[in-house]
Amino acid sequence: MTPIIDVCNIRKSFGGLTVIDDCSVRIAEGSITGMIGPNGAGKSTLFNIIAGSLAPDSGEVLLDGEPITSLPAHLRFHKGLLRTFQIAHEFSHLTALENLMMVPPAQEGERLFSNWLRPGRVRREEAEVRRRAQEVLDFIGLTRVRNEPAGNLSGGQKKLLELGRTMMTEARVVLLDEIAAGVNRTLLGDLIGNIERLNREMGYTFLVIEHDMDMIARLCDPVIVLAEGRVMLEGPIEEVQSHPEVIEAYFGAQSA
């Protein structure tokens, strides 16, 4: 399949310690790709390099064939590359609905000039953004908390809201960082279902970093295994789980 994200020969060191060592990864367009590995394997560092919050020492990141290595995270956002966080970053005093309405960039109401001279245009755009936000809340199953301050939501509801925020943009690739962390099993099922629907119905490509192996097994194909800053293996979860080196490097390390 055609790669939408191409990570080419990335290296990253911190204080003389090499965390990512000549690592190359290709994320196929339309896939839900999982990334696993033992603690210290370099997953979070590579994730942050792809997201644009960390610069590599060398190597290149391409989005749909276009180099984006030097682009900051907010410009990658405008190109459709988004991320969620292990700890949700909601606007706690705004309602769930308002959190979604904050996402679309360059809204007319953000311009003082437009509020003075184009109030009708501002109202129409705001009504459309509100309508879209309500549709997203319906999609992710949070309609009943639409007027609840986001800070009052449960951990799982906040993760759903973060996923909903990606739907308020022209998202193409969504990087999911430990989205299962702190989520009860019922809401985790909702999260997985929504990710699958976004992939199937809206064409989202996902890269998932996750320690919950049940979630990886249910959701991801292929799965990339990192160890010591390099790709050890890539393939279906059945192959990954049965590979002797992976059992030693990852599953053995987890049970030690």
Side-chain angles (χ1 to χ4, degrees):
M1 297 177 67
T2 303
I4 192 167
I5 295 288
D6 209 344
V7 177
C8 307
N9 306 112
I10 290 292
R11 292 182 182 272
K12 183 65 180 180
S13 298
F14 297 96
L17 175 65
T18 299
V19 179
I20 303 295
D21 186 11
D22 194 27
C23 183
S24 296
V25 171
R26 307 184 91 189
I27 308 300
E29 185 172 10
S31 70
I32 304 178
T33 299
M35 184 177 289
I36 66 172
N39 291 333
K43 303 184 300 296
S44 294
T45 299
L46 185 60
F47 189 93
N48 287 326
I49 288 171
I50 297 171
S53 55
L54 193 62
D57 297 331
S58 62
E60 192 170 39
V61 179
L62 307 178
L63 174 62
D64 209 13
E66 177 187 351
I68 59 170
T69 317
S70 61
L71 290 183
H74 72 277
L75 292 183
R76 298 185 196 202
F77 169 89
H78 288 296
K79 290 183 175 293
L81 176 59
L82 287 71
R83 68 168 298 174
T84 67
F85 294 87
Q86 182 175 352
I87 299 174
H89 284 52
E90 78 282 354
F91 297 101
S92 59
H93 297 295
L94 298 181
T95 67
L97 181 70
E98 290 167 341
N99 265 263
L100 296 182
M101 293 180 65
M102 289 286 291
V103 176
Q107 296 185 49
E108 283 290 333
E110 297 171 358
R111 302 182 180 92
L112 185 61
F113 176 84
S114 294
N115 280 281
W116 285 346
L117 300 182
R118 301 172 180 168
R121 182 172 177 177
V122 170
R123 286 194 296 270
R124 286 192 298 274
E125 183 184 62
E126 182 175 340
E128 175 58 25
V129 171
R130 182 180 296 273
R131 182 197 63 77
R132 175 60 181 156
Q134 184 58 62
E135 287 182 350
V136 170
L137 288 173
D138 293 341
F139 184 97
I140 61 178
L142 291 182
T143 300
R144 65 186 180 84
V145 296
R146 67 189 298 274
N147 295 318
E148 186 72 25
N152 294 347
L153 303 183
S154 71
Q157 289 172 329
K158 290 178 181 180
K159 294 292 182 70
L160 283 168
L161 188 63
E162 282 233 322
L163 188 62
R165 285 163 69 172
T166 71
M167 298 176 62
M168 295 297 296
T169 69
E170 297 297 324
R172 302 182 63 207
V173 183
V174 180
L175 311 178
L176 301 177
D177 185 6
E178 297 282 357
I179 196 166
V183 180
N184 68 48
R185 306 314 291 183
T186 299
L187 283 180
L188 182 58
D190 293 341
L191 272 172
I192 290 173
N194 282 319
I195 292 166
E196 289 175 328
R197 285 183 64 195
L198 288 171
N199 173 254
R200 182 177 62 251
E201 298 175 15
M202 302 179 70
Y204 281 30
T205 299
F206 288 96
L207 174 60
V208 184
I209 291 182
E210 186 55 64
H211 281 100
D212 188 320
M213 292 305 300
D214 289 338
M215 178 175 178
I216 289 289
R218 290 173 60 186
L219 190 60
C220 300
D221 186 16
V223 176
I224 298 168
V225 184
L226 287 190
E228 299 181 347
R230 290 174 174 264
V231 175
M232 173 185 289
L233 180 69
E234 178 178 351
I237 187 63
E238 296 82 9
E239 178 183 345
V240 167
Q241 289 178 316
S242 62
H243 196 282
E245 291 184 22
V246 176
I247 294 171
E248 174 64 26
Y250 185 78
F251 299 102
Q254 293 295 308
S255 62

